[in-house]
Amino acid sequence: MHETSMSPRAAHSPQVLEESDSRTRILDAAEELFAGGGYAATPTSLIAKLAQVPKGLLFHYFPRKIDVLVALVDERTLVEEAKEVDAVPGDPAGTLSKLARRLPLRASPAMRRILFREADTHGSVRERLGRLNGELIGRARFALELALPGARGDKARLEVAAATFAAVLLYQENLCQLTGHQIDPDAVADLIAHSLA
Amino acid sequence: MHETSMSPRAAHSPQVLEESDSRTRILDAAEELFAGGGYAATPTSLIAKLAQVPKGLLFHYFPRKIDVLVALVDERTLVEEAKEVDAVPGDPAGTLSKLARRLPLRASPAMRRILFREADTHGSVRERLGRLNGELIGRARFALELALPGARGDKARLEVAAATFAAVLLYQENLCQLTGHQIDPDAVADLIAHSLA
Amino acid sequence: MHETSMSPRAAHSPQVLEESDSRTRILDAAEELFAGGGYAATPTSLIAKLAQVPKGLLFHYFPRKIDVLVALVDERTLVEEAKEVDAVPGDPAGTLSKLARRLPLRASPAMRRILFREADTHGSVRERLGRLNGELIGRARFALELALPGARGDKARLEVAAATFAAVLLYQENLCQLTGHQIDPDAVADLIAHSLA
Amino acid sequence: MHETSMSPRAAHSPQVLEESDSRTRILDAAEELFAGGGYAATPTSLIAKLAQVPKGLLFHYFPRKIDVLVALVDERTLVEEAKEVDAVPGDPAGTLSKLARRLPLRASPAMRRILFREADTHGSVRERLGRLNGELIGRARFALELALPGARGDKARLEVAAATFAAVLLYQENLCQLTGHQIDPDAVADLIAHSLA
DNA sequence: GATGAATGAGCTTTCATTCAT
DNA sequence: TATGAATGAAAGCTCATTCAT
């Protein structure tokens, strides 16, 4: 409806998904391929082919291959400030469950897989992974503090609980699928809540 | 019977010890390099150089590069049957702590890093990672069952506790060091024990 | 009279001086870069960047890269007719010294370096280098004839003297600086004068 | 005689010219091409083709393209110590002429052309050119000292004469052929001898 | 005139793998 | 079993040149 009524030049307007700009298509392709086969094993030629751009254009935007990975990490793993944590006082299990459900923050599963795989190869990736992990722990800690207003458990135990929950969340998504072992975040939330009771 | 030394002779003659055989040195080098930079980013020439063997010899033992990885996974990630779990009835926290301290099973930290990184690339690696994870969970479950003879918590909760503990152990070793966030396994053991009380 | 500004208009309007026109800036940049790294090793993109013009504009003025070199040679190595040679009769040494001091003719040191380097690659460059060399020899010969009115030495010896002086002048500038060996043109002028005495 | 009596493997022995080893053929090809078109404008693929070796082998011997140039300079521009200079006392002109005829030292004309062209691009090349020039001047000075035992001219003038002769020799070979202007070294030797008389 | 994204051929280099010895 | 020269496909990257705006 919109497309036909606009103009013959509508094909070039940004809202037409099929024709998103080249740079974005390159990053899309790279995200998919890096997540699937790893950075080192993905030739730039394959990225270009999947993105349907000539190989030279890839290097127009990203002078070196590593710049594609860096751009991906810079632009697609933004860890937004935890504006509001949806905590339910007196219900730490439910609070953690809610947190788990909002997890993606702004990094797709593919991006998180990339962060894990390439972390020890490239400094900037490692730093982002650290930030993501830190933010997740911080958010879990904050949520638990709100959910347990009495501050019943000591600080240290809260910290451990937050780190454990973060570990399960990141671990499960990135690796349990590889092994086939599933962990139900809600059950873990429940477990942790019990331990703080 | 012996899996690392093929010839009984080599294993016994003392002077061979210092000049460990070429095949072993190749695997040692590959383990180090694959863990450090990843399989795809490690040239066979570098493996040969680090192992101090000529390039041709590497291909004598391992006709294709992938065979080095497969051999590594086959020979250096053996998950031994949990013959005995050192459980202390009535002390689930201590029991888990003991389990954590014996974790290496028979896969070195380097090998575990390799398993994680290359899991989604090579089927045989993925399968091993699954086995390792499964074995760890199973052992944690069994340990907890022994430590809590009354079977106080229901089966499902025990399972979640075991999976959570396994997740933290593997997560921390493989990724916390990358991010700098430390998790104390003993504190997690304590946390989980509390949740089962 | 004015050699750099082709159009009288540009030469007179004051505001144009600081923003010298794009074409000139391109040639300035190319002269510097070709002299420094050689024609083949200098990318057009670098010329454009140094000239602070967009890449496309360079190809607007010079459709092919080689046209930049040709324009440089055409416009910046003009060998002017030897209108007047400042000869001092009876003082061949002083006459040659004067000639040496006016050497630049109208080719900068950078342009002469370019002529030497690219001579065997591009015909038009080679031809210019030949003209420059010929003109220099001719001028030296003429100067010596004027300085030695008696025509004491035979013609052939005068010719050799002129060629030797030209060789030293061109050689010294283009290569002595590379090797660090200095030749004082005045001393050579003196030497040659003696040989003709 | 030797070849046939040695063994069937004689075909691989070094004295069979037709089958000189790959590394030498690569350097031969590079010398020819670098002298002709310049280092930067010569693709490694062309070197390999002319040398009749696969492209990969070139990089087996010379990991980077520049290493070919460096090897050429290292191995084919040896400046031998001037053991004996063939000086004729009382005949400086003849002495210089003799020197000129032995000029090649051990750098072929092609190698000398390469030294000149690539001198300002690569430090090691520049250094060799400097050494070559210095050695030539030194030899000319020494020859003149022997030829003029009375040390009639002062030291400084001898030095200038030596430098001038060296300049003409190097200049003529590398550049006069480009421009077509010939300088007869014997005539220059004569000229210089006169100036020292 | 001015602009910079787009293009693809070609460049240097890497690398797994082979093979004669 | 041991060796390293040999091989060529493919990788990352460069670059002159075009072209729509």
Side-chain angles (χ1 to χ4, degrees), chain D residues 99-183:
Chain D
L99 183 65
R101 249 170 257 115
R102 305 167 126 239
L103 213 213
L105 302 169
R106 281 188 38 209
S108 68
M111 276 312 307
R112 270 176 280 170
R113 181 80 192 110
I114 291 171
L115 286 177
F116 274 78
R117 277 190 78 149
E118 314 302 340
D120 44 13
T121 308
H122 307 291
S124 65
V125 181
R126 183 159 52 249
E127 185 254 0
R128 278 291 163 130
L129 178 58
R131 290 255 294 275
L132 186 62
N133 190 37
E135 179 69 16
L136 192 51
I137 292 175
R139 225 170 278 199
R141 186 202 309 116
F142 186 48
L144 286 173
E145 282 168 354
L146 292 182
L148 296 168
R152 306 244 332 226
D154 56 310
K155 279 274 176 188
R157 166 153 295 188
L158 249 177
E159 186 68 31
V160 170
T164 298
F165 194 62
V168 169
L169 286 188
L170 289 175
Y171 175 83
Q172 103 133 21
E173 175 176 11
N174 282 283
L175 298 163
C176 283
Q177 54 187 342
L178 292 175
T179 67
H181 292 103
Q182 297 290 342
I183 305 183

Side-chain angles (χ1 to χ4, degrees), chain A residues 35-38 40-41 113 115-121 126 129-131 133-135 137 157 160-161 163-164 166-168 170-172 175-179 181-184 187-188 190-192 194-197, chain B residues 35-38 40-41 113 115-121 126 129-131 133-135 137 157 160-161 163-164 166-168 170-172 175-179 181-184 187-188 190-192 194-197:
Chain A
R113 182 80 192 110
L115 287 176
F116 275 78
R117 274 189 81 150
E118 313 301 341
D120 45 12
T121 307
R126 184 159 54 250
L129 178 58
R131 290 255 295 274
N133 190 37
E135 179 69 17
I137 293 175
R157 165 151 297 186
V160 170
T164 298
V168 169
L170 289 175
Y171 176 82
Q172 100 134 24
L175 297 163
C176 282
Q177 54 188 344
L178 292 175
T179 66
H181 292 104
Q182 299 289 343
I183 305 183
D184 175 14
V188 177
D190 197 49
L191 187 86
I192 288 175
H194 259 79
S195 76
L196 296 174
Chain B
R113 182 80 191 111
L115 287 176
F116 273 78
R117 277 190 79 149
E118 313 302 340
D120 44 13
T121 307
R126 183 160 53 251
L129 178 59
R131 288 255 296 275
N133 190 36
E135 179 69 17
I137 294 175
R157 164 152 300 186
V160 170
T164 298
V168 169
L170 289 175
Y171 175 83
Q172 104 132 21
L175 297 162
C176 283
Q177 51 188 347
L178 292 176
T179 66
H181 292 105
Q182 299 289 344
I183 305 182
D184 176 15
V188 178
D190 197 52
L191 188 86
I192 289 176
H194 258 79
S195 76
L196 295 173

Side-chain angles (χ1 to χ4, degrees), chain C residues 86-137:
Chain C
D86 206 356
V88 182
D91 181 11
T95 300
L96 288 180
S97 288
K98 273 187 185 165
L99 183 65
R101 247 170 259 116
R102 304 169 125 240
L103 214 213
L105 304 168
R106 288 208 9 230
S108 68
M111 276 312 306
R112 269 176 280 170
R113 183 81 191 111
I114 291 171
L115 286 177
F116 274 76
R117 277 190 79 149
E118 313 302 340
D120 44 14
T121 308
H122 306 292
S124 65
V125 181
R126 183 160 53 249
E127 183 254 1
R128 279 292 164 128
L129 178 59
R131 289 255 296 274
L132 185 61
N133 190 37
E135 179 69 18
L136 193 51
I137 292 176

Side-chain angles (χ1 to χ4, degrees), chain B residues 14-27:
Chain B
Q15 79 276 17
V16 175
L17 282 180
E18 50 224 58
E19 52 147 270
S20 64
D21 68 275
S22 301
R23 190 174 182 283
T24 301
R25 286 214 309 282
I26 291 170
L27 290 178

Side-chain angles (χ1 to χ4, degrees), chain B residues 77-105:
Chain B
T77 62
L78 293 181
V79 181
E80 41 192 21
E81 290 300 302
K83 308 152 197 174
E84 25 71 53
V85 170
D86 206 357
V88 183
D91 181 11
T95 300
L96 288 180
S97 289
K98 272 186 186 167
L99 183 66
R101 248 171 256 115
R102 305 167 123 242
L103 213 214
L105 305 167

